[in-house]
Amino acid sequence: MLVLALALVLVAVALEALRRSPAVAEMRRARRLTAKLPHPAEYPLLGTATLLACSQDELYDRIHKVASDYGPLTRVTLGHLTFVCVMDPRDIEAVMTSTKAQNKSLAYTVLMQVMGMGLVTLNGDEWRRHRKAITPSLHLDILKDFVHIFYKKGVGLASELEQRADSAEVFDVTPLCGACANNSICETVMSSDLDDDDPDKRNFLSNIPKALDHFMYRVFRPWFISSWGYSLHPTRYRDYVKILNDTNSFIQRIVREKKETVQKTGEPESRPKRRRAFLEHVLASAEGAALDENELVEEVKTIVAVASGSSMDAIALTIYTLAIRQDIQEKVRDELSGVLGEGPGRAVEHSDLAHMQYTECVIKEVLRYFSIVPLFGRTVTEDLALPSGFTIPRGCEVAFWLPYTHRDPKWYPEPDKFDPDRFLPENSRGRHPFAFVPFSGGPRNCVGQRYAMMFMKTVVAAIVPRLRFEIPAGGPGRIEDVPLALNLTIAVRGGANIRVHRIRQQETLG
């Protein structure tokens, strides 16, 4: 009995010490100051975590229902974390542009192994140093040289799709879009001279979706979030470690090879410069010299991981949208015919992209309607007053759920209607700039957003003149009926299943 009594006393002392600790005091303060915000039912220790107790297919609908039910300012609690969900554009602007909320959410730490310690996951001075080093190598004058690569990969995608047209099969277009995106990223970001049949390159490209699959597996099983916990998995952990090691080894190989090339050979100013990959630009720039080899490896890893899934799903959802809306597909084809001429013979040049105005409106409406990357997060380091009148307490995590913001009827009349004309200049006038933030906003906006738009426009211009897309029998007849699934990005639940037809018999592509 004495031992038991002593044990109870020690537990009581430990609990009291925990209660008095600064971290617990801050958590209690955050919970107290956000208590009046609308929020779902909460349970001791778990908070609102029971909302995530569903299949991955149900997750998008579950989160969107919470956002819709509780409004533009909502509290969600997960364990010791307090999230304030901010969805009004005025409040979003206040958070995204504030120096009090420049750090990424603690939730991003789970991504570091998969995505690397790059611009997406770094904070503070490290982030500023990386941003300064990376940004010049994504200047428009450099990106213009990538259009020919985007077009080549788009033509390759068209060739793959034509094979499906010959067999009239119904298939999920997403994996083919992923291969197109990953090959484009590999060539433009890392190297402009690696052969497609390089075994390390093939292995690297196949590992990208596998790594993201491991990430989502762990997110849905919190006991596997820590590396130690995941190491106890009898089968998956070994595969996970191999994927990470192979990925790191490949990127390290590329960084070292390119570093040696830049250091040894350079490129005389008197000679026309060949097209160089993003990594080569970074290595040759004064700004890039601020990053050591390991930092470059991590940065490339981050860029590849972020761009891979988002580019894949953006292209797949664009094709799927065109398959459902034949009228929009024909308008895009007519515009491209006017820009590029009849038939698909002429390659797309950078100067052509500015004339693809309706095509750009369609892509922007896809990004609005589906919010490809739907969720962003920040950590508030000091109390932050919002235009709506609420003050977010320090220590809170802020979440932005874009499907709510992008379908706010105040900024988008008939928000559930797919209408590319929303993004015509005359219809965009007066819309709050933070009512459309597919690439985030403020100082921590996506450094690759111009790259992404150029890639999507060029690939669409490569495939639409060659092929007609349609939804097979049994598929959704309206875009409003498309079921969505949430991974790191948004995808069509069950796959973006389409059928493809040739426009006309083509000469050899490209």
Side-chain angles (χ1 to χ4, degrees):
M1 290 295 293
L2 180 61
V3 173
L4 178 59
L6 181 60
L8 291 174
V9 169
L10 290 174
V11 169
V13 169
L15 290 174
E16 179 62 18
L18 183 63
R19 186 182 70 83
R20 291 174 179 270
S21 73
V24 172
E26 285 293 281
M27 183 197 76
R28 289 164 63 88
R29 177 179 183 269
R31 292 288 166 90
R32 184 178 72 254
L33 295 179
T34 58
K36 291 185 178 180
L37 287 179
H39 59 268
E42 297 175 347
Y43 301 93
L45 299 179
L46 295 176
T48 52
T50 53
L51 290 171
L52 303 180
C54 61
S55 70
Q56 192 169 333
D57 282 347
E58 298 174 290
L59 186 59
Y60 175 89
D61 291 338
R62 183 75 64 90
I63 295 175
H64 195 57
K65 185 177 189 309
V66 170
S68 301
D69 288 348
Y70 294 96
L73 202 59
T74 307
R75 183 176 88 169
V76 174
T77 56
L78 299 174
H80 68 288
L81 298 178
T82 301
F83 287 85
V84 176
C85 300
V86 174
M87 293 170 282
D88 182 276
R90 296 163 299 178
D91 288 345
I92 290 175
E93 179 180 25
V95 176
M96 286 188 174
T97 59
S98 174
T99 57
K100 301 175 182 179
Q102 290 305 300
N103 288 350
K104 287 298 184 79
S105 169
L106 292 173
Y108 282 73
T109 56
V110 185
L111 287 171
M112 284 185 179
Q113 281 188 302
V114 173
M115 298 175 68
M117 295 181 66
L119 287 176
V120 172
T121 53
L122 291 175
N123 289 314
D125 291 339
E126 278 191 297
W127 169 78
R128 281 184 281 273
R129 186 164 58 84
H130 278 240
R131 180 90 178 201
K132 184 178 180 180
I134 294 301
T135 300
S137 295
L138 288 170
H139 189 275
L140 178 61
D141 289 340
I142 294 170
L143 293 180
K144 288 192 293 188
D145 283 344
F146 293 166
V147 171
H148 84 287
I149 297 174
F150 296 154
Y151 180 72
K152 180 177 68 174
K153 301 306 179 184
V155 167
L157 173 59
S159 297
E160 293 283 347
L161 293 171
E162 282 194 324
Q163 295 177 27
R164 271 69 176 181
D166 293 339
S167 63
E169 65 178 294
V170 174
F171 64 98
D172 179 7
V173 76
T174 307
L176 293 180
C177 293
C180 174
N182 290 342
N183 276 293
S184 297
I185 292 163
C186 194
E187 192 161 337
T188 57
V189 172
M190 290 189 294
S191 175
S192 57
D193 51 16
L194 271 184
D195 293 332
D196 287 342
D197 60 356
D198 181 281
D200 289 340
K201 178 180 176 180
R202 290 203 310 270
N203 187 46
F204 170 75
L205 293 176
S206 67
N207 277 339
I208 294 173
K210 295 176 185 176
L212 297 177
D213 175 66
H214 276 281
F215 165 74
M216 290 305 297
Y217 184 88
R218 293 172 68 181
V219 166
F220 276 88
R221 296 159 182 82
W223 51 93
F224 286 142
I225 286 179
S226 76
S227 294
W228 178 84
Y230 204 34
S231 70
L232 300 178
H233 196 288
T235 57
R236 292 184 65 95
Y237 186 70
R238 184 179 301 174
D239 178 63
Y240 174 70
V241 170
K242 185 178 186 305
I243 287 171
L244 292 185
N245 288 340
D246 288 351
T247 299
N248 289 334
S249 296
F250 178 75
I251 296 177
Q252 286 167 355
R253 166 195 158 188
I254 298 300
V255 169
R256 287 168 185 164
E257 288 177 356
K258 294 304 169 187
K259 194 172 184 178
E260 290 174 2
T261 300
V262 169
Q263 289 175 344
K264 289 181 180 179
T265 63
E267 289 183 341
E269 292 296 327
S270 60
R271 182 171 74 203
K273 292 187 177 181
R274 66 180 177 84
R275 293 182 175 99
R276 297 189 300 181
F278 159 82
L279 176 58
E280 293 170 310
H281 281 288
V282 174
L283 288 168
S285 70
E287 296 86 357
L291 303 182
D292 62 30
E293 184 176 300
N294 183 64
E295 288 175 318
L296 280 171
V297 169
E298 292 296 304
E299 199 59 67
V300 170
K301 186 177 173 182
T302 298
I303 291 172
V304 170
V306 170
S308 173
S310 57
S311 297
M312 173 182 71
D313 288 318
I315 290 296
L317 280 163
T318 299
I319 293 173
Y320 202 62
T321 295
L322 298 179
I324 296 173
R325 290 290 301 272
Q326 295 288 316
D327 57 328
I328 293 176
Q329 184 177 166
E330 286 306 314
K331 287 186 70 173
V332 170
R333 188 171 292 113
D334 288 344
E335 178 180 73
L336 295 175
S337 176
V339 173
L340 303 174
E342 291 291 335
R346 182 166 79 77
V348 175
E349 302 290 340
H350 176 262
S351 58
D352 296 322
L353 301 183
H355 302 290
M356 301 176 188
Q357 297 174 354
Y358 184 73
T359 302
E360 181 172 316
C361 288
V362 172
I363 292 170
K364 285 183 174 180
E365 181 68 346
V366 168
L367 297 178
R368 178 198 76 86
Y369 197 90
F370 295 108
S371 299
I372 307 296
V373 182
L375 194 61
F376 300 105
R378 301 281 178 86
T379 296
V380 174
T381 55
E382 300 177 44
D383 290 359
L384 176 58
L386 301 180
S388 61
F390 181 75
T391 296
I392 303 176
R394 64 178 181 267
C396 283
E397 307 296 310
V398 176
F400 310 103
W401 179 248
L402 298 192
Y404 182 102
T405 305
H406 287 171
R407 297 201 188 188
D408 186 340
K410 180 176 181 180
W411 309 105
Y412 301 101
E414 298 182 89
D416 292 329
K417 176 183 177 183
F418 189 92
D419 181 11
D421 289 347
R422 296 180 196 278
F423 289 96
L424 292 172
E426 60 271 23
N427 295 334
S428 300
R429 199 172 295 118
R431 184 181 299 143
H432 196 288
F434 282 75
F436 182 63
V437 282
F439 301 102
S440 190
R444 295 212 65 160
N445 66 348
C446 175
V447 72
Q449 58 184 292
R450 185 180 285 167
Y451 175 106
M453 288 300 297
M454 289 172 62
F455 168 73
M456 287 186 281
K457 289 175 75 172
T458 305
V459 171
V460 168
I463 61 177
V464 170
R466 293 175 163 85
L467 300 156
R468 181 172 64 82
F469 311 107
E470 70 175 18
I471 294 295
R478 306 181 308 161
I479 295 178
E480 298 93 310
D481 300 328
V482 174
L484 300 178
L486 174 62
N487 200 315
L488 277 177
T489 53
I490 295 295
V492 180
R493 190 188 311 162
N497 297 308
I498 62 168
R499 184 178 280 117
V500 179
H501 303 278
R502 293 174 184 264
I503 296 296
R504 60 174 68 88
Q505 193 68 33
Q506 309 292 357
E507 66 272 20
T508 301
L509 292 179

